Amino acid sequence: MRLHRLAITAFGPFGGSQSVDFDALSAAGLFLLHGPTGAGKTSVLDAVCYALYGSVPGARQSGQGMHLRSDHADPRTRTEVRLDLTVAGRRLEITRQPPWERPKLRGKGTTVDKAQTWLREYDSEAGGWQDRSRSHQEIGEEITQLLGMSREQFCQVVLLPQGDFARFLRADAEARGRLLGRLFDTQRFADVEKRLAERRRATEARVRDGDAALLADAHRMQQEAGDAMELPELAPGDPGLADAVLGAAAVARATARERLTVAHCRLTAAESAHAEARRALDDARELARLQSRFAEARRRAERLEERAGTHHEDQRRMERSREAEAVAPALELRRAAEEEHRRAAAAETRARGLLPGSYADAGAAGLAAAARRAAEELGGLDAARRAERRLAELAEERSGLDRQERADDDVLREADAWLAGWDTTRSALQSRVDAAQEAATRAEQLAVRREPMARRLEAARTRDQLAADLQDARRQAEASGQRALDARAHWLDLKEQRLNGIAAELAARLTDGEPCAVCGATEHPAPARKVAGHVDRETEEQAHRASQQADRQHAEEERRLGVVREALAAATAEAGDTPTARLEAEAAELEEEYARARRAASALHSAHEDLRRAEQERERRLADRQQAAVRVASRLTRRDTLEREQTQLEAELAQARGSLGSVAARAEQLERQAALLTDAADAVRAAEDAAQRLKDADARLADAAYRAGFDTPQEAAAALLDAAAHRELQHRLDAWQTEEAAVRAVLAEADTAAAAQRPSADLPAAERAAATAEHRLRAAASARDAAARCCAELDRLSARATEAVRRLAPLREEYDRVARLAALTAGTSADNERKMRLESYVLAARLEQVAAAATARLQRMSSGRYTLVHSDDRTGRGRSGLGLHVVDAWTGRERDTATLSGGETFFASLALALGLADVVTDEAGGVRLDTLFIDEGFGSLDDQTLDEVLDVLDSLRERDRSVGIVSHVGDLRRRIHAQLEVVKGRSGSALRQRGV
């Protein structure tokens, strides 16, 4: 991976747009990234990490999203990071924009834009950049796959954090294990340990479940067998569990089979006794039934003898009814004729009662002739009816002409009255339109002046507020400046006091036999002592931090003062020197005048509408007056025509009405007379016909009764039965015959008669004997079923126990094998001599590789004195295999890395970081890392050691690498010519490249 160019906008401390040309910096092999504390050196590395992974390293991860945005940036400038790099032979450009809270385009307030990401690739054949993706997830997966490293690995391998490796040197085995586990991704080995432990627990649970199921089956067998099975006290996991259960089950099955044989014998004897008792009971029941049947037949025969007389009478009634059925049609015909004659006579009486007395004795023919004469006279009145309807229409039309005449007179009067005042009305309406139009023009002129006046008034109010804020800001800036000077003076005083007593502080670290960090002597005859008022390092650093905080506060107050000054100048330019109260009065007067003009102008539309409606009303009035005059002329002609036609029709109707008031009354009279005469003629004819039919029916009835054997028709009618009486009588006769036949059949049975001669059966004794035999049979059957069920259940449970023992055998073997492997990988097995877990074993191998790679550089940095070695020793209760020692060639002794001095710790940790970078790179698939960054730590080195460390870093160019050193040590500026300087300012930091 080689970085080419980095562009950042509104990111971290950089308020504007900055760019870094890594190609120019990398040409020198070593380049220096320097600047004052807090300027933003680390933010450059954060930008590289954010471009690649969408997040920043380590503890700064909380600064994601909108918190990455620079506080110095313009509100309309969006935060953006663009990185141009080559990785795995591909030239890529990654652009990331975190979420952005920007001002709304319309209205007030802010809105949040989502994060954006672009990935482009340079196509040499096409000669330009090609878009590849805009998906956060796809770009993240693509970059991680190309680099072969996660973000944590990248931050440890490319952005070498010196402080982290200094802690790594002094850390215990657990801390080293956590770091190495993140870098080398040994989670799969930890997963193997976890998986083996889970399999051991699962297999153990399955074995215990199998033993528990086997014991449960044994207990159920013991419950079934009772005292025939003895089961010792057993628990899941006991070695002899299977043999004990199977042996006890075999004894129980043999005993159960013996008991089943005895139960079979007892059941056979009980079945024979029960069969004999059932036969005796059946014989007794049959004898009792036959005897009861014979006695019941005798009682039924006696009851039949008692009802014999009634039965003969019913037979005679049925015979007479059958004879009378031949007369029934004639009887029905005579009743129908008599009813019809009665209705016809009543209708004739009613019809004659409606006629005049002159028709009281008229026959049917005379009444019909009179009806025809009335109908002929009614037909002659049709023309008179039409003349009467026309006369009514003429009267209605004349009434309509009168109403029209009155209405036209009203129209003419109203039109003349309205048109007389038209000129006055039109002048008044036109005056309203002109006045409203003038007001609308005035309102438009005033509206143009409102917005400038409002802006000027708002600026004046802001000017007054900012004037007061300026005084407060000036006082706060002066006070913060004085506090910053006091804090810096206090810090410098404490620093001077500490430097004066630094010898005592260094002497506190001296140990007999150990070389002095200043002179190198191993003897310390007169070490310096701390005097009263000595200032330690923590107190000095606390004062230094307080001074820096005061400087930052003073800078913030100065920035705020400048912002207030600029805002006040802008507000004064807008508002001028006019007092705010005067501007408010002018604005209020302008608003009031504008409101009056708007109110007056609002009447313009209604005035136009009123004038338009008045003109339309004038046209309508003129048209109405003209139409009314035309209708008056036509009405005079029509009235004369109607009067002539009315006189002619009245003469014709006087002749047709006669003595009645109207033609309709005369016609109604004739219609009623013709209808009554016709109805009376029909009623007379119907009465005559009904009388004849009644006479014929009497003759036929007398003849039918005589032929049926009855003296009179009345006698035949009395013998005839209706349907209900006939059914009831027939039912009694049929029941008698059925009962008589049944009694005779029973008395004729030979078995029944023979049984009646025998003694009475003792049925209760036979039932008691049968019940006793049945009870004994059920008891024997229950005993046999229980014995059979016990044998079957014991056989089933024994078979299941045998199968369970067979299945558990390979499961026990699997459990033993998995348990040994789990104990071995967890470090608890006796076979694991060093008690080392599998993950620790893999990490120990990686640490040994890292120590070997780091030693090659550490020997050069320490002039061949120090060598890093890996140790498998176990320290205390921690894990073994992750020890790290340093071998001192001057003494030949191996000691812990925690005993190294500050400078020695730095170059030892640097060598370890470079060695770890090589191993992780190889582990990641050999991805080339052409650009590395080393963050701080060089201030603890003397000049000679610094030269050796720089020589080692410079040798990295042999692998075509460029190394960026992040430091504010002044001596490095003279030694390294290619530099990237971070310049801090009030409006944000800036980047400058030097020596390239």
Side-chain angles (χ1 to χ4, degrees), residues 8 93 173 257 281 305 391 440 442 458 473 509 557 611 653 701 716 798 812 831 900 921 937:
I8 52 180
E93 182 187 79
R257 289 192 182 94
L281 177 61
E305 286 294 334
L391 186 62
R442 176 61 177 164
E458 181 63 26
R509 302 179 182 177
E557 296 296 340
L611 178 60
L653 288 175
L701 177 59
S798 295
R812 291 182 189 277
D831 297 334
L900 294 174
T921 300

Side-chain angles (χ1 to χ4, degrees), residues 41 134 330 827 886 918:
K41 301 186 295 298
R134 298 193 64 175
V886 62
D918 292 339

Side-chain angles (χ1 to χ4, degrees), residues 790-808:
C790 179
C791 285
E793 185 66 13
L794 288 176
D795 289 341
R796 185 183 68 82
L797 293 175
S798 295
R800 192 164 73 175
T802 303
E803 179 63 20
V805 171
R806 186 186 62 78
R807 289 197 310 268
L808 281 175

Side-chain angles (χ1 to χ4, degrees), residues 429 606-618:
L429 292 174
S606 61
H608 274 298
E609 288 296 316
D610 292 345
L611 178 60
R612 180 182 61 80
R613 286 194 293 270
E615 291 175 346
Q616 291 176 348
E617 181 67 16
R618 176 175 176 274

Side-chain angles (χ1 to χ4, degrees), residues 174-232:
E174 292 294 333
R176 284 179 186 154
R178 287 193 295 271
L179 176 60
L180 293 175
R182 291 197 304 270
L183 294 179
F184 292 106
D185 191 17
T186 58
Q187 182 61 37
R188 59 186 182 277
F189 299 104
D191 292 342
V192 169
E193 297 178 25
K194 182 179 179 181
R195 176 59 178 162
L196 285 173
E198 290 175 352
R199 284 193 59 188
R200 178 186 61 77
R201 289 192 294 270
T203 308
E204 182 181 7
R206 290 171 60 192
V207 171
R208 287 188 172 274
D209 291 344
D211 286 349
L214 184 60
L215 273 178
D217 288 341
H219 289 148
R220 281 194 288 272
M221 285 190 288
Q222 189 178 28
Q223 291 175 356
E224 290 291 340
D227 58 356
M229 181 176 179
E230 294 183 1
L231 189 66

